[in-house]
Amino acid sequence: MSNGRARAYTNIALIKYWGKKDQALILPMNNSLSLTLDAFYTETSVILDPKLIQDEFFLDGIQQSEQATAKVSRFLDLVRTKVGNQSFVRVTSQNFVPTAAGLASSASGLAALAGASASAFGLDLKATELSRLARRGSGSACRSIYGGFAEWQQGHDDESSFAVPIASADWENELSMLFVVVNDQQKDVSSRAGMQRTVETSAFYPGWLDSVPKDLAQAKHAIAQKDFTALGEVTERSALKMHGTTLAAVPPFTYWSPESVQAMQLVRTLRNEGLACYFTMDAGPNVKVLVQRKDEQQLLAKFAEVFHHSQLLMAHAGPGLEILTKEGSL
């Protein structure tokens, strides 16, 4: 039996990806920029077993439904077709995440699956090829192939859409991100459905799309100059504009909760008091706060006055995809 194992970490977009121009290939409407973090990761093994009569998928020790397994099988078909090997596999995946952190697993999960399946089937893929493969499972997964900062280039077809690392002279190690978990329940509107509704119906969406290239350029310049204020400002601006598009969708919707607003207002208050920090949000109510590592304990203490300690998780820059052996990383 042939097998492969991989570990991948989640990432948070600072310049948001919101909307697809090709649903099947998962081609985005715009470039995005992210920071891979160390707080949450997925480990996945893929075993080619000739005794299997169909694919099997286990997540956190539980065999998954036919629907969940079918999604994994469709992804594996991409690899099987590439190598001309139609063997069925057993996929075993485990999410490592602090209790009730409310962190999405698609980015780390599909990046780990891409690495493990490529290894199991004997594919020697370059980072850009792994990124392109991971994208076919989940768009944001293409950025988790890399540690630190990464930019997902939208491209125009399957071959040209993948993420690339952004050089930063290790500046990302001077940054921290506080996760403020205000709700870890299932969302009323999924990210996929929210994107599609926004792209198709929001009067604000064209304005959002037009603004992304400028925001992206400012973020990359800020990283090159190690300018925390500039990066924080454009990060916060990108998130607010993305969420603004949902309010003009038909029907309108929002991912914000009262506690989301409370957390964002606390960030503004702390900033006015001299503590440099900036928020971002994905398609959900949880708030992430970008802060310099030297200020993270001060930020954590301030948030602990308002939110329960179980709602707060501090993260730092994380590594890229790791192909594993039984003993550990290769």
Side-chain angles (χ1 to χ4, degrees):
M1 291 187 292
S2 177
N3 67 86
R5 291 182 63 228
R7 178 190 298 138
Y9 293 77
T10 194
N11 70 77
I12 296 297
L14 307 183
I15 303 300
K16 299 299 186 186
Y17 140 59
W18 193 237
K20 300 181 183 74
K21 58 186 174 186
D22 188 310
Q23 299 283 344
L25 294 177
I26 311 186
L27 302 181
M29 295 287 285
N30 62 278
N31 287 26
S32 56
L33 185 152
S34 66
L35 178 62
T36 298
L37 298 167
D38 63 355
F40 177 35
Y41 63 95
T42 303
E43 285 188 2
T44 298
S45 69
V46 173
I47 300 175
L48 280 65
D49 187 342
K51 297 177 183 177
L52 293 176
I53 59 173
Q54 61 185 14
D55 293 326
E56 295 180 351
F57 175 35
F58 294 82
L59 177 61
D60 294 333
I62 300 172
Q63 186 162 6
Q64 298 299 290
S65 67
E66 287 187 17
Q67 183 179 5
T69 303
K71 181 179 179 181
V72 169
S73 292
R74 285 193 297 272
F75 179 83
L76 291 165
D77 286 341
L78 298 171
V79 180
R80 285 188 280 240
T81 299
K82 201 175 188 69
V83 298
N85 183 342
Q86 297 304 312
S87 298
F88 293 116
V89 304
R90 180 180 298 107
V91 177
T92 303
S93 191
Q94 187 170 3
N95 286 328
F96 292 83
V97 57
T99 303
L103 301 178
S105 61
S106 60
S108 58
L110 270 299
L113 181 59
S117 58
S119 179
F121 281 93
L123 273 176
D124 184 18
L125 300 180
K126 297 177 181 178
T128 52
E129 295 171 314
L130 280 166
S131 178
R132 191 161 56 236
L133 176 62
R135 188 203 79 237
R136 295 294 298 273
S138 172
S140 59
C142 76
R143 300 186 304 241
S144 281
I145 300 301
Y146 305 99
F149 295 109
E151 178 186 354
W152 178 9
Q153 300 176 338
Q154 61 173 304
H156 54 83
D157 58 15
D158 185 37
E159 290 295 312
S160 57
S161 183
F162 52 83
V164 296
I166 296 177
S168 64
D170 295 328
W171 181 54
E172 67 269 18
N173 294 323
E174 297 178 26
L175 307 178
S176 302
M177 187 171 284
L178 175 65
F179 286 76
V180 186
V181 183
V182 302
N183 189 333
D184 61 359
Q185 301 302 307
Q186 189 170 352
K187 295 176 288 194
D188 293 334
V189 181
S190 71
S191 303
R192 185 182 297 261
M195 280 186 192
Q196 189 168 353
R197 186 192 302 181
T198 304
V199 171
E200 293 175 354
T201 68
S202 176
F204 294 168
Y205 190 75
W208 142 262
L209 208 56
D210 289 345
S211 73
V212 172
K214 182 178 179 181
D215 287 347
L216 184 68
Q218 290 183 2
K220 291 167 74 172
H221 185 261
I223 292 168
Q225 297 297 315
K226 300 184 179 182
D227 187 336
F228 178 73
T229 299
L231 182 62
E233 287 176 349
V234 74
T235 292
E236 195 168 291
R237 190 161 66 241
S238 176
L240 286 171
K241 284 188 288 189
M242 185 203 93
H243 283 271
T245 65
T246 70
L247 299 176
V250 182
F253 66 100
T254 184
Y255 292 108
W256 294 7
S257 71
E259 280 189 299
S260 305
V261 177
Q262 184 181 25
M264 289 186 283
Q265 187 55 50
L266 179 55
V267 168
R268 294 189 184 99
T269 298
L270 294 174
R271 200 160 62 226
N272 288 337
E273 293 174 354
L275 176 56
C277 56
Y278 300 86
F279 62 77
T280 187
M281 291 177 64
D282 296 309
N286 301 323
V287 178
K288 294 90 177 176
V289 186
L290 188 66
V291 67
Q292 294 174 95
R293 196 157 184 162
K294 65 182 179 65
D295 296 328
E296 69 171 44
Q297 290 306 314
Q298 184 182 357
L299 179 75
L300 191 58
K302 291 292 186 180
F303 266 83
E305 295 175 3
V306 179
F307 296 90
H308 192 269
H309 68 85
S310 64
Q311 295 178 277
L312 305 174
L313 170 67
M314 190 65 72
H316 306 104
L321 177 72
E322 300 171 349
I323 305 300
L324 305 172
T325 65
K326 289 183 179 179
E327 292 75 30
S329 178
L330 287 175

